[in-house]
Amino acid sequence: MKFIQFTLTTSLILTLIVGGTLFTPDVLAQDKASDKKTRKVPSLNTRVYDQLSRAQKVADAGDVDQAIEILDVVKEKASSMSSYDLAMMYNFYGFIYYAAEDFDNAIGSFENVVAQQPIPESLEQTTLFSLAQLHMMRGNYDKTIAYLERWEELQPGSLPVKNLVLKAQAMYQKKDYPAASEYINEAIYKQENSEEGYKVDENWYVLQRAIYYELKQPEKVTEVLEKMVKLFDQPSYWVQLAGMYGELGEEKKQLAVLEAAYQKDYVTSGSDVFNLAQLYYYHEAPYKGARLMEQAMDDGVLEKNLRNLKFLAQCWTLAKENEQAVPVMRAASDLSEDGELDSQLAQIFLNLEKWDQAIESANKALEKGGLRNQGTTHLVLGMALFNKNQFNDALNQLAEAQKHKSSRGMAQQWSKFVETEKATYERFQAELGSS
């Protein structure tokens, strides 16, 4: 499953001094929009602020080591700094480490931010959520949930959608699928029904689908994929939806969706092409299946191996296109160690009244062996020999066919017929000889 990532801002905090206190623009907006009483926190020391700003400029210029050195100098005076000074210092450490992709040190720095009290509630909330994200990145799912719950304690009312999604992902990674389902379902419902009309992020549906799959709820997986096909029209979603219809036993829908996907050029892998050809075959459209297989092999999408050639021959045969089936069946039989395909080829030649080819293929089948129904091959050989007026050889093969239960009845009938025709033929030949 694609990993859902909420990214921290990679630039350091743009600052604004209001009443001697450091705020980010988004924090200021929150405070102005809120009527609740804010915490009383000490003002940010001007000299500390100057050093933090200097570290920011150096980091923005790409010199991470020097930025850290500047912060280390500030840190040497930690004993004389207020909780807010310390929090902002560690906050800068955290963003610099994050920008340098040193995530473990970033986590440690942000943990030091929330350890300082008192600090602005908005800063604490932002940092707690950043910690949840970072622990998610590092695979620390229990800590992700713990920091999210600390964030929630500071947030009145219902959970924001972003928290629900992050919790859902953490629970999914913990294999707590029922809890993950609850969170992602709530998030998607809120987003789908928001007054602002926000669209649901594609990855949220990906997560929801994965959770339903783990919960063994194929109907729900299918419902999600139906949405994804309509909203995002990705090739993989069409193919997956077709597969889910097949799993649910809705084979007509499976064929319809996969055929539509093929017409959109979304069916590109050999396995998906073969699945579509099989669906054509089993839904009594073997000609379509044969044409699809033939095109795929010509294009190199499918190999001309035993499985594919055998199935192509079956499609042509079921479509009553025996002339098309013969060369394919020959190619497949050359790759097969048993005589099953040669036996089938003998039957095709018999139907085409090509007696010599039928005899040749039947003998080859018996020589290779491994036949599921050896009696049928003897029967076909006997019938072909009869049509060549080789009555004795035909009767010998029909006698062999009678040894097998599946072909015994038919072989007995043919034996009587051949004996009658043999007598008639011999009498006719005798009359010709005496005239």
mmCIF file of all heavy atoms in Angstrom, residues 321-324 326 345-355:
data_model
loop_
_atom_site.group_PDB
_atom_site.id
_atom_site.type_symbol
_atom_site.label_atom_id
_atom_site.label_comp_id
_atom_site.label_asym_id
_atom_site.label_seq_id
_atom_site.Cartn_x
_atom_site.Cartn_y
_atom_site.Cartn_z
ATOM 1 N N GLU A 321 -13.359 -22.726 -35.451
ATOM 2 C CA GLU A 321 -12.392 -22.258 -36.445
ATOM 3 C C GLU A 321 -11.235 -23.255 -36.480
ATOM 4 O O GLU A 321 -10.107 -22.977 -36.074
ATOM 5 C CB GLU A 321 -11.893 -20.853 -36.077
ATOM 6 C CG GLU A 321 -12.967 -19.790 -36.067
ATOM 7 C CD GLU A 321 -13.372 -19.352 -37.467
ATOM 8 O OE1 GLU A 321 -12.643 -19.686 -38.431
ATOM 9 O OE2 GLU A 321 -14.411 -18.680 -37.598
ATOM 10 N N ASN A 322 -11.542 -24.473 -36.990
ATOM 11 C CA ASN A 322 -10.554 -25.548 -36.937
ATOM 12 C C ASN A 322 -9.312 -25.269 -37.766
ATOM 13 O O ASN A 322 -8.194 -25.656 -37.384
ATOM 14 C CB ASN A 322 -11.196 -26.865 -37.385
ATOM 15 C CG ASN A 322 -12.180 -27.395 -36.348
ATOM 16 O OD1 ASN A 322 -11.994 -27.194 -35.149
ATOM 17 N ND2 ASN A 322 -13.229 -28.076 -36.810
ATOM 18 N N GLU A 323 -9.489 -24.614 -38.897
ATOM 19 C CA GLU A 323 -8.320 -24.302 -39.734
ATOM 20 C C GLU A 323 -7.349 -23.386 -38.981
ATOM 21 O O GLU A 323 -6.137 -23.479 -39.161
ATOM 22 C CB GLU A 323 -8.772 -23.643 -41.040
ATOM 23 C CG GLU A 323 -9.576 -24.559 -41.953
ATOM 24 C CD GLU A 323 -8.714 -25.632 -42.606
ATOM 25 O OE1 GLU A 323 -7.476 -25.605 -42.445
ATOM 26 O OE2 GLU A 323 -9.279 -26.505 -43.292
ATOM 27 N N GLN A 324 -7.906 -22.471 -38.161
ATOM 28 C CA GLN A 324 -7.070 -21.583 -37.347
ATOM 29 C C GLN A 324 -6.436 -22.350 -36.191
ATOM 30 O O GLN A 324 -5.319 -22.048 -35.763
ATOM 31 C CB GLN A 324 -7.926 -20.439 -36.789
ATOM 32 C CG GLN A 324 -8.554 -19.540 -37.842
ATOM 33 C CD GLN A 324 -7.626 -18.406 -38.245
ATOM 34 O OE1 GLN A 324 -6.412 -18.580 -38.269
ATOM 35 N NE2 GLN A 324 -8.194 -17.257 -38.553
ATOM 36 N N VAL A 326 -5.489 -25.554 -36.057
ATOM 37 C CA VAL A 326 -4.500 -26.583 -36.397
ATOM 38 C C VAL A 326 -3.054 -26.125 -36.210
ATOM 39 O O VAL A 326 -2.273 -26.776 -35.498
ATOM 40 C CB VAL A 326 -4.731 -27.113 -37.827
ATOM 41 C CG1 VAL A 326 -3.522 -27.931 -38.298
ATOM 42 C CG2 VAL A 326 -5.985 -27.974 -37.859
ATOM 43 N N LEU A 345 -5.563 -32.883 -31.669
ATOM 44 C CA LEU A 345 -5.283 -32.536 -33.063
ATOM 45 C C LEU A 345 -5.818 -33.618 -34.008
ATOM 46 O O LEU A 345 -6.359 -33.323 -35.083
ATOM 47 C CB LEU A 345 -3.776 -32.358 -33.254
ATOM 48 C CG LEU A 345 -3.285 -31.679 -34.537
ATOM 49 C CD1 LEU A 345 -3.916 -30.307 -34.705
ATOM 50 C CD2 LEU A 345 -1.765 -31.555 -34.502
ATOM 51 N N ALA A 346 -5.686 -34.875 -33.578
ATOM 52 C CA ALA A 346 -6.212 -35.984 -34.388
ATOM 53 C C ALA A 346 -7.725 -35.856 -34.562
ATOM 54 O O ALA A 346 -8.263 -36.109 -35.653
ATOM 55 C CB ALA A 346 -5.860 -37.318 -33.716
ATOM 56 N N GLN A 347 -8.421 -35.437 -33.502
ATOM 57 C CA GLN A 347 -9.875 -35.261 -33.603
ATOM 58 C C GLN A 347 -10.227 -34.121 -34.553
ATOM 59 O O GLN A 347 -11.205 -34.214 -35.312
ATOM 60 C CB GLN A 347 -10.440 -34.983 -32.207
ATOM 61 C CG GLN A 347 -10.320 -36.172 -31.258
ATOM 62 C CD GLN A 347 -10.913 -35.881 -29.889
ATOM 63 O OE1 GLN A 347 -12.070 -35.523 -29.779
ATOM 64 N NE2 GLN A 347 -10.103 -36.051 -28.840
ATOM 65 N N ILE A 348 -9.437 -33.043 -34.496
ATOM 66 C CA ILE A 348 -9.687 -31.928 -35.412
ATOM 67 C C ILE A 348 -9.508 -32.379 -36.858
ATOM 68 O O ILE A 348 -10.343 -32.088 -37.738
ATOM 69 C CB ILE A 348 -8.743 -30.752 -35.093
ATOM 70 C CG1 ILE A 348 -9.099 -30.133 -33.735
ATOM 71 C CG2 ILE A 348 -8.820 -29.690 -36.196
ATOM 72 C CD1 ILE A 348 -8.145 -29.048 -33.288
ATOM 73 N N PHE A 349 -8.423 -33.116 -37.139
ATOM 74 C CA PHE A 349 -8.184 -33.599 -38.499
ATOM 75 C C PHE A 349 -9.284 -34.554 -38.950
ATOM 76 O O PHE A 349 -9.678 -34.561 -40.121
ATOM 77 C CB PHE A 349 -6.816 -34.292 -38.602
ATOM 78 C CG PHE A 349 -5.659 -33.333 -38.668
ATOM 79 C CD1 PHE A 349 -4.565 -33.471 -37.820
ATOM 80 C CD2 PHE A 349 -5.647 -32.295 -39.599
ATOM 81 C CE1 PHE A 349 -3.502 -32.594 -37.896
ATOM 82 C CE2 PHE A 349 -4.571 -31.415 -39.665
ATOM 83 C CZ PHE A 349 -3.500 -31.559 -38.811
ATOM 84 N N LEU A 350 -9.791 -35.354 -38.016
ATOM 85 C CA LEU A 350 -10.889 -36.263 -38.345
ATOM 86 C C LEU A 350 -12.125 -35.468 -38.769
ATOM 87 O O LEU A 350 -12.792 -35.810 -39.754
ATOM 88 C CB LEU A 350 -11.215 -37.148 -37.138
ATOM 89 C CG LEU A 350 -12.281 -38.228 -37.381
ATOM 90 C CD1 LEU A 350 -11.730 -39.308 -38.316
ATOM 91 C CD2 LEU A 350 -12.723 -38.854 -36.063
ATOM 92 N N ASN A 351 -12.408 -34.371 -38.005
ATOM 93 C CA ASN A 351 -13.564 -33.527 -38.352
ATOM 94 C C ASN A 351 -13.367 -32.843 -39.702
ATOM 95 O O ASN A 351 -14.343 -32.563 -40.411
ATOM 96 C CB ASN A 351 -13.791 -32.478 -37.265
ATOM 97 C CG ASN A 351 -14.222 -33.093 -35.944
ATOM 98 O OD1 ASN A 351 -14.817 -34.176 -35.923
ATOM 99 N ND2 ASN A 351 -13.917 -32.416 -34.848
ATOM 100 N N LEU A 352 -12.110 -32.559 -40.051
ATOM 101 C CA LEU A 352 -11.795 -31.902 -41.325
ATOM 102 C C LEU A 352 -11.659 -32.910 -42.474
ATOM 103 O O LEU A 352 -11.362 -32.523 -43.601
ATOM 104 C CB LEU A 352 -10.494 -31.098 -41.196
ATOM 105 C CG LEU A 352 -10.531 -29.880 -40.263
ATOM 106 C CD1 LEU A 352 -9.134 -29.291 -40.089
ATOM 107 C CD2 LEU A 352 -11.483 -28.807 -40.815
ATOM 108 N N GLU A 353 -11.872 -34.222 -42.140
ATOM 109 C CA GLU A 353 -11.764 -35.317 -43.106
ATOM 110 C C GLU A 353 -10.369 -35.399 -43.723
ATOM 111 O O GLU A 353 -10.196 -35.773 -44.884
ATOM 112 C CB GLU A 353 -12.833 -35.182 -44.196
ATOM 113 C CG GLU A 353 -14.244 -35.252 -43.632
ATOM 114 C CD GLU A 353 -15.305 -35.214 -44.714
ATOM 115 O OE1 GLU A 353 -14.937 -35.073 -45.914
ATOM 116 O OE2 GLU A 353 -16.500 -35.325 -44.377
ATOM 117 N N LYS A 354 -9.378 -35.055 -42.918
ATOM 118 C CA LYS A 354 -7.980 -35.192 -43.323
ATOM 119 C C LYS A 354 -7.448 -36.459 -42.653
ATOM 120 O O LYS A 354 -6.840 -36.415 -41.579
ATOM 121 C CB LYS A 354 -7.183 -33.952 -42.925
ATOM 122 C CG LYS A 354 -7.657 -32.690 -43.666
ATOM 123 C CD LYS A 354 -6.792 -31.469 -43.310
ATOM 124 C CE LYS A 354 -7.242 -30.256 -44.126
ATOM 125 N NZ LYS A 354 -6.418 -29.051 -43.846
ATOM 126 N N TRP A 355 -7.709 -37.612 -43.314
ATOM 127 C CA TRP A 355 -7.496 -38.903 -42.677
ATOM 128 C C TRP A 355 -6.017 -39.171 -42.370
ATOM 129 O O TRP A 355 -5.696 -39.689 -41.291
ATOM 130 C CB TRP A 355 -8.059 -40.019 -43.565
ATOM 131 C CG TRP A 355 -9.395 -39.706 -44.168
ATOM 132 C CD1 TRP A 355 -9.708 -39.713 -45.497
ATOM 133 C CD2 TRP A 355 -10.597 -39.344 -43.476
ATOM 134 N NE1 TRP A 355 -11.029 -39.374 -45.701
ATOM 135 C CE2 TRP A 355 -11.598 -39.148 -44.464
ATOM 136 C CE3 TRP A 355 -10.926 -39.147 -42.134
ATOM 137 C CZ2 TRP A 355 -12.908 -38.786 -44.166
ATOM 138 C CZ3 TRP A 355 -12.226 -38.794 -41.820
ATOM 139 C CH2 TRP A 355 -13.199 -38.612 -42.810
#
